[in-house]
């Protein structure tokens, strides 16, 4: 039984890759951070490519000019007019991004200063001798006029230096950025304060090498960079890693005549550029060269010894001779610099130890708490408390009545039939304000989303979500249905079947049941879990849950409902749009995806008990149904209606909105989503990937608010079929090299490119732009 459950869990959720998101500063489309006036560009903005670094540096400076304009005067050489005036912009780091920003600052007439810890273009100068340079994407022209066209390291350094030798660079290492009364101050490690209106952070990742965490790693013959491969000619060398740096190092060492062993923990290369992978395999087969290349995959490094490296293989441990060891397993962003400067990092919600550490040296950690979010959270609960207090005849209702607050001198006891009368009657109940607030948030943040993400897909999807939230989920039950009924425009039989009479309902009938037209069982349970069977609703619910939704999912995936119809999805894609990168990723969280299955099973058990109770009224099934849905256990409301509807959907779902993204409920807990995950496993929908274009930048994974490791699929060129996908299009739209697109596979698993909807939206984009940018096609 346990093995069967395990197999089911693997089939549904646990077989998918579960890579985590790299921690980088949170920046918006204009490279702004949460600290006013501070921008982060280059590698630290997410895409580790020269052209994107140059582009980001220039665009950040243009945004500064757009927002505030230059001071009006500079004192020559980029200096401000006098000692009292701060710089328009201080640029940290003289790499590709920083120098592109500096050139643009000069062109725009800003006063500026570049601070560099080591030397100009230090990262590029550290590349190995004669390293080939790939200027991806080939068809991209970065903003500004700094050219990157060279194809070899030495030529690239020459090209960049020739274009920037007239830009002054100060030797100083930035320690942190402080917010001051009149702007910002960059504090250097020497204690100098450089004042500025804006700061562009372009310090790359140099220096923060990931460690192997094994004994012997600190020995002198272990290196993290390769300068000159010819010095290793004739030596035994072990290279550790499986990305571009490691494969490029292995290639140049072998070509220089070294005997290279490449150790990588996976059994195939997924990260490096195809050119590098191809060359590695060529060299492995080549027996005529001076050097040799052996691949040891999958292997883990256990220990570095003086003349060898111990590796664990699938067969056990083995030793490999090594005069030199190159550990090329990547570099981390300078997270401490960002934390010291109060710059928010994505997926960095577990910072307690840092805050506590700071607390020991004073109470400055208090400023790091997100008071705005705490206030938003408190305001939400106060609002809900007020609404429920009104409902129970509490202080809000009494206050409104005693102040004569019912609008326009309207008498709630009168029974008018005009639209205004109906509206004012609806306004007597708290649910009206809750739905009004919900719909207003969806519309306001929906408009913002459309303005921010200018693709036809987003426009059509967001407008659909807004329209569904406003019309069938608000205007229909609050105004249209009661107005039609009061004016005798709907047959009584129809009303009795769908909206039974109730003495508690303000209009005398349960028009709220109209939510069931959109929200299907078991997300919205109340049209099925009613005291007497509501036959029409039972038929509608059956068709929705077991016919229409599976049909839609078969063609367009679970996102057809979650991303285009559902009101939870509407809030997540609008209010939650800018919090999507807060969804946690990784294996542990993927296991939590199964929580929804447990809730779905509970909903089905209740359904069977409900049917049993109808067939045999007063039986044990009836009693168990009542206890399961409404009962108290040990004095606590441990029943489905409270635990799922109130605690999980309401308190947890909304409570963690600004911390763990707006899709927490949708991903982990929603019982309807859990059912749709099963349907989705039979769907034709996929996100297709052009493996050759993928640069392993992790952007797609980091923007996925369903926690999907999209990059792992893309790196292998496999169609993405994780059932958690809600088709929001963030990964497709954000991919810098246009790797991803929505599509379908046919019954034999063969790719059928592009969904009809996306194809037509892409044509609209082409017409709007003149030509379609690959990354925006969806
Ligand atoms: C081995 C390797 C191979 C690559 N190959 C390619 C390729 O073929 N094609 C391609 O497009 N891209 C390639 N890249 C990526 C490319 O080099 C980066 O995208 C680009 O250099 C990033 O520019 P940047 O300005 O953000 O950072 P960097 O170029 O890293 O510049 C950061 C600068 O900031 C300085 N600095 C650091 N900390 C501080 C501080 N606290 N205060 C002041 N200054 C500081 C550093 O000394 C450095 O000069 C490669 C990268 C590596 C590591
Ligand atoms: S479309 Fe992309 S970002 Fe959106 S849920 Fe699916 S995989 Fe995640
Ligand atoms: S698919 Fe695109 S966004 Fe994702 S890792 Fe590859 S290049 Fe980056």
């Amino acid at each position: 039984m346990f093995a069967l459950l395990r197999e089911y869990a693997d089939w549904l959720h646990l077989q998918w890759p579960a890579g985590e998101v790299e921690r980088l500063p949170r920046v918006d489309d204009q490279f702004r951070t949460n600290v006013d006036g501070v921008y982060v560009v280059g590698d630290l903005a997410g895409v580790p490519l020269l052209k994107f670094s140059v582009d980001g540096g220039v665009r950040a400076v243009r945004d500064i000019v757009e927002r505030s304009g230059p001071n009006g005067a500079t004192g020559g050489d980029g200096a401000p007019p006098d000692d009292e005036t701060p710089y328009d912009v201080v640029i940290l780091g003289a790499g590709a991004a920083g120098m592109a920003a500096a050139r643009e600052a000069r062109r725009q007439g800003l006063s500026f200063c570049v601070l560099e810890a080591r030397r100009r273009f230090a990262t590029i100068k550290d590349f190995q001798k004669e390293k080939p340079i790939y200027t991806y994407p080939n068809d991209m022209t970065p903003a500004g006029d700094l050219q990157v066209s060279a194809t070899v390291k030495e030529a690239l350094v020459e090209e960049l230096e020739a274009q920037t030798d007239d830009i002054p660079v100060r030797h100083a290492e930035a320690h942190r950025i402080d917010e001051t009364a009149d702007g910002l101050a960059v504090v250097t490690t020497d204690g100098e304060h450089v004042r500025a209106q804006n700061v562009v952070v372009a310090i790359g990742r140099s220096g923060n090498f990931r460690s192997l965490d094994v004994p012997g790693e600190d020995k002198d013959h272990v290196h993290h960079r390769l300068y000159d491969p010819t010095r290793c000619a004739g030596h035994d060398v072990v290279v550790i890693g499986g990305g571009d740096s490691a494969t490029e190092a292995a290639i140049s060492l072998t070509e220089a005549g070294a005997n290279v062993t490449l150790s990588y923990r996976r059994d195939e290369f997924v990260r490096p550029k195809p050119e590098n992978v191809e060359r590695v395999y060529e060299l492995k087969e080549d027996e005529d060269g001076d050097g040799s290349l052996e691949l040891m995959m999958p292997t883990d490094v256990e220990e570095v010894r003086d003349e060898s490296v111990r590796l664990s293989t699938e067969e056990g441990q083995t030793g490999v001779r090594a005069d030199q060891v190159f550990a090329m397993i990547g570099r981390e962003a300078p997270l401490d610099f960002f934390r010291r400067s109060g710059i928010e990092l994505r997926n960095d919600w577990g910072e307690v130890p840092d805050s506590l550490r700071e607390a020991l040296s004073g109470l400055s950690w208090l400023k790091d708490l997100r008071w705005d979010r705490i206030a938003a959270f408190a305001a939400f609960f106060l609002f809900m408390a007020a609404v429920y207090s009104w409902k129970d005849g509490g202080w809000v209702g009494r206050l409104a009545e005693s102040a004569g607050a019912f609008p326009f001198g309207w008498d709630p006891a009168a029974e008018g039939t005009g639209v205004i009368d109906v509206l004012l009657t609806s306004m007597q109940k708290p649910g009206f304000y809750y739905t009004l607030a919900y719909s207003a948030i969806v519309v306001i943040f929906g408009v913002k989303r459309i303005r921010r993400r200018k693709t036809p897909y987003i426009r059509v999807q967001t407008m659909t979500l807004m329209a569904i939230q406003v019309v069938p989920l608000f205007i229909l039950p609050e105004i249209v249905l009661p107005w039609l009924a009061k004016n005798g425009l709907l047959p009584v039989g129809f009303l009795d079947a769908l909206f039974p009479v109730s003495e508690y309902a303000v209009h005398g009938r349960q028009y709220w049941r109209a939510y069931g037209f959109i929200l299907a069982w078991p997300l919205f349970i109340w049209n099925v879990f009613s005291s007497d069977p509501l036959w029409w609703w039972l038929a509608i619910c059956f068709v929705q849950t077991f016919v229409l939704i599976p049909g839609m999912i078969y063609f367009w995936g679970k996102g057809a409902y979650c991303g285009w119809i559902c009101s939870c999805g509407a809030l997540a894609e609008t209010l939650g749009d800018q919090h999507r990168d807060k969804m946690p990723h990784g294996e542990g969280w993927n296991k939590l995806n199964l929580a929804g299955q447990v809730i779905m099973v509970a909903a089905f058990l209740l359904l069977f008990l409900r049917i049993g109770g109808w067939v045999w009224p007063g039986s044990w099934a009836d009693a168990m149904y009542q206890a399961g849905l409404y009962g108290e256990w040990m004095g606590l409301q441990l029943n489905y209606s409270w635990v799922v509807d109130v605690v999980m959907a309401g308190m947890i779902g909304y409570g963690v909105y600004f911390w763990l993204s707006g899709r927490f409920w949708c991903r982990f807990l929603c019982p309807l989503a859990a059912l749709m995950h099963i349907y989705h496993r039979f769907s034709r929908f996929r996100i297709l990937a052009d493996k050759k274009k993928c640069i392993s930048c992790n952007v797609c994974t980091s923007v996925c608010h369903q926690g999907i490791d999209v990059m792992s699929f893309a790196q292998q060129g496999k169609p993405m079929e994780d059932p958690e996908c809600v088709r929001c299009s963030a990964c497709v739209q954000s991919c810098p090299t246009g790797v991803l697109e929505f599509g379908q596979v046919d019954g034999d698993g063969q790719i059928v490119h592009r969904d009809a909807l996306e194809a037509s939206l892409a044509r609209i984009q082409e017409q709007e732009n003149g030509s379609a940018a690959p990354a925006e096609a969806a």
Side-chain angles (χ1 to χ4, degrees):
M1 177 69 179
F2 184 75
L4 216 63
L5 283 176
R6 173 79 219 188
E7 225 169 273
Y8 173 72
D10 275 349
W11 171 78
L12 194 62
H13 283 307
L14 302 185
Q15 62 168 308
W16 315 115
E20 299 196 9
V21 173
E22 205 182 347
R23 275 192 285 180
L24 289 175
R26 292 194 78 213
V27 291
D28 68 10
D29 300 346
Q30 307 305 322
F31 302 96
R32 296 175 195 167
T33 65
N34 61 307
V35 180
D36 200 23
V38 176
Y39 294 72
V40 173
V41 297
D43 270 9
L44 295 171
V47 186
L49 285 178
L50 289 161
K51 280 187 173 176
F52 282 89
S53 300
V54 168
D55 189 67
V58 172
R59 282 174 46 206
V61 170
R62 288 185 183 167
D63 189 66
I64 291 170
V65 174
E66 212 166 280
R67 278 191 349 159
S68 45
N71 273 341
T74 63
D77 234 9
D82 52 63
D83 289 349
E84 297 306 306
T85 312
Y87 285 100
D88 286 326
V89 55
V90 168
I91 296 158
L92 308 183
M99 294 309 260
R103 265 177 78 103
E104 186 64 15
R106 166 173 288 177
R107 206 177 71 78
Q108 298 274 359
L110 303 186
S111 59
F112 71 94
C113 161
V114 182
L115 304 183
E116 164 58 47
R118 294 168 61 216
R119 52 185 177 152
R120 288 163 192 254
F121 302 111
T123 302
I124 298 167
K125 285 175 183 165
D126 283 347
F127 288 177
Q128 71 220 25
K129 226 171 135 185
E130 292 170 15
K131 172 190 155 8
I133 300 297
Y134 305 94
T135 43
Y136 286 138
N138 296 336
D139 53 356
M140 175 185 181
T141 311
D145 52 8
L146 187 66
Q147 302 291 320
V148 274
S149 58
T151 53
V152 178
K153 170 206 163 169
E154 287 71 14
L156 177 67
V157 171
E158 224 169 85
E159 180 183 33
L160 290 171
E161 287 200 319
Q163 296 174 80
T164 55
D165 59 0
D166 56 343
I167 306 260
V169 172
R170 265 166 71 178
H171 188 267
E173 183 175 350
H175 178 65
R176 64 171 195 276
I177 303 166
D178 282 349
E179 288 181 85
T180 63
D182 59 349
L184 300 162
V186 176
V187 182
T188 68
T189 46
D190 296 336
E192 191 191 351
H193 284 57
V194 186
R195 290 163 55 233
Q197 295 294 349
N198 300 280
V199 177
V200 173
V201 182
I203 57 178
R205 303 167 194 226
S206 40
N208 299 283
F209 296 104
R210 286 209 179 99
S211 68
L212 290 166
D213 239 357
V214 297
E217 158 165 42
D218 50 357
K219 288 184 186 290
D220 288 345
H221 67 299
V222 180
H223 317 278
H224 296 283
R225 287 192 191 116
L226 171 65
Y227 294 101
D228 185 355
T230 54
R231 290 191 190 168
C232 295
H235 290 257
D236 294 316
V237 177
V238 170
V239 177
I240 302 158
D244 277 317
S245 303
T247 48
E248 281 173 16
I251 292 167
S252 48
L253 283 161
T254 312
E255 286 173 345
N259 301 314
V260 179
T261 303
L262 179 60
S263 156
Y264 182 36
R265 65 192 161 83
R266 298 173 76 153
D267 57 4
E268 62 173 325
F269 293 110
V270 288
R271 295 182 73 99
K273 299 177 188 79
E275 296 90 325
N276 287 337
V277 177
E278 211 173 293
R279 185 70 185 130
V280 162
Y281 284 111
E282 269 171 27
L283 287 171
K284 179 177 170 282
E285 299 304 323
D286 182 9
E287 289 175 2
D288 301 332
D290 293 338
S292 64
L293 176 56
E294 190 184 348
L295 301 183
M296 295 206 60
M297 296 157 58
T299 51
D300 282 313
V301 179
E302 296 294 329
E303 186 184 352
V304 180
R305 296 183 177 171
D306 284 337
E307 290 180 349
S308 67
V309 174
R310 288 215 66 78
L311 300 174
S312 66
T313 69
E314 282 170 344
E315 287 80 40
Q317 288 210 354
T318 182
V320 177
R321 261 203 63 81
D323 304 320
Q324 302 294 332
V325 177
F326 292 90
M328 318 284 257
I329 54 171
R331 295 172 304 160
E332 277 167 359
L335 301 180
D336 285 342
F337 173 86
F338 293 112
R339 292 196 183 124
R340 282 193 293 266
S341 308
I343 295 171
E344 229 178 84
L345 300 168
R346 66 187 191 202
N347 268 41
D348 196 42
W349 42 275
E351 279 180 77
V352 181
D354 281 345
S355 306
L356 286 179
R357 198 177 57 196
E358 279 197 31
L360 295 176
S361 57
L363 287 177
S364 56
W365 61 278
L366 280 174
K367 82 172 174 28
D368 291 340
L369 287 181
R370 295 307 313 264
W371 291 110
D372 50 343
R373 291 184 197 166
I374 290 169
F377 194 51
F380 173 74
F381 273 97
L382 277 178
F383 171 72
M384 291 304 288
V387 163
Y388 279 95
S389 159
W390 181 349
K391 182 180 165 192
D392 298 336
W395 61 271
V396 179
R398 285 201 302 276
L399 204 68
E401 260 175 85
S402 62
F406 291 112
F408 316 118
W410 180 79
D411 174 7
E415 275 291 306
T417 56
V419 173
I420 299 291
D421 294 305
V422 170
L423 176 65
L424 292 173
T425 306
S426 288
M427 285 169 69
Q428 284 181 71
K429 64 181 198 310
F432 175 90
Y433 296 92
Y434 179 75
T435 322
L436 177 67
Y438 197 102
S439 307
I441 290 172
V442 168
V443 171
I444 293 166
F445 286 87
V447 171
K448 284 177 124 182
R449 184 192 195 216
I450 290 173
R451 287 196 181 152
R452 199 171 43 246
R453 302 183 185 275
K454 297 186 171 95
T455 70
Y457 184 90
I458 295 284
R459 193 162 63 224
V460 178
Q461 182 206 26
T462 315
M463 281 163 63
T464 309
L465 286 170
M466 292 191 301
I468 291 176
Q469 177 55 45
V470 172
V471 181
L473 289 173
F474 177 54
I475 296 178
L476 183 73
E478 300 295 345
I479 301 168
V480 176
L481 285 171
W483 181 81
L484 288 172
K486 280 190 176 172
N487 287 283
L489 297 170
L490 291 173
V492 175
F494 169 84
L495 290 169
D496 286 344
L498 289 178
F499 312 110
V501 172
S502 163
E503 59 177 303
Y504 303 110
V506 285
H507 290 291
R509 284 188 182 274
Q510 297 171 336
Y511 293 113
W512 55 265
R513 290 194 184 276
Y515 295 148
F517 289 130
I518 300 298
L519 306 178
W521 185 91
L523 170 62
F524 182 66
I525 52 175
W526 303 108
N527 287 344
V528 174
F529 293 169
S530 53
S531 45
D532 294 314
L534 299 170
W535 295 108
W536 281 37
W537 278 122
L538 288 177
I540 291 170
C541 291
F542 180 83
V543 172
Q544 276 175 332
T545 305
F546 299 109
V547 182
L548 289 180
I549 290 180
M552 278 181 349
I553 291 176
Y554 178 72
F555 291 105
W556 303 294
K558 180 191 127 198
Y561 186 84
C562 291
W564 281 76
I565 295 174
C566 179
S567 60
C568 302
L571 199 69
E573 297 302 341
T574 52
L575 177 66
D577 187 46
Q578 286 191 288
H579 303 279
R580 56 179 57 249
D581 58 350
K582 291 173 186 164
M583 174 57 82
H585 289 59
E587 254 174 51
W589 290 99
N590 272 12
K591 286 186 184 144
L592 196 62
N593 287 347
L594 292 161
Q597 295 295 310
V598 178
I599 299 164
M600 180 195 76
V601 169
F604 271 101
L605 282 177
L606 277 179
L607 176 67
F608 296 135
L609 292 170
R610 173 64 297 183
I611 295 169
W614 283 330
V615 178
W616 300 286
S619 64
W620 63 268
D622 209 357
M624 282 187 72
Y625 163 77
Q626 295 295 339
L629 194 60
Y630 303 111
E632 282 191 13
W633 296 76
M634 295 177 293
L636 294 173
Q637 294 273 353
L638 290 177
N639 54 57
Y640 188 96
S641 119
W642 258 84
V643 173
V644 178
D645 265 16
V646 178
V647 177
M648 289 183 178
M651 292 164 99
I652 298 180
Y654 295 128
V656 300
Y657 224 80
F658 303 114
W659 284 271
L660 296 176
S661 96
R663 284 281 189 184
F664 194 87
W665 156 258
C666 308
R667 173 181 174 190
F668 297 116
L669 303 171
C670 173
L672 176 60
L675 183 59
M676 292 195 288
H677 291 150
I678 301 170
Y679 296 154
H680 193 107
R681 292 294 286 115
F682 302 95
S683 169
R684 296 165 53 137
F685 168 73
R686 300 286 188 276
I687 295 182
L688 310 173
D690 185 351
K691 177 183 170 177
K692 289 195 299 301
K693 289 202 243 163
C694 179
I695 54 163
S696 301
C697 65
N698 202 241
V699 168
C700 49
T701 298
S702 72
V703 296
C704 180
H705 55 358
Q706 290 289 120
I708 301 170
D709 183 7
V710 190
M711 180 176 83
S712 286
F713 288 94
Q715 285 172 331
Q716 298 170 54
K718 285 190 187 158
M720 201 294 293
E721 55 178 321
D722 189 325
E724 285 285 357
C725 179
V726 291
R727 223 193 151 102
C728 67
S729 87
C731 58
V732 180
Q733 188 215 344
S734 309
C735 172
T737 51
V739 173
L740 306 166
E741 65 179 333
F742 288 152
Q744 295 187 356
V745 291
D746 63 16
D748 301 325
Q750 297 301 311
I751 291 171
V752 183
H753 270 283
R754 285 197 169 199
D755 284 352
L757 174 66
E758 275 75 50
S760 59
L761 291 176
R763 275 198 297 280
I764 297 174
Q765 177 98 50
E766 275 169 38
Q767 282 158 12
E768 283 176 1
N769 292 358
S771 70
E776 293 170 353

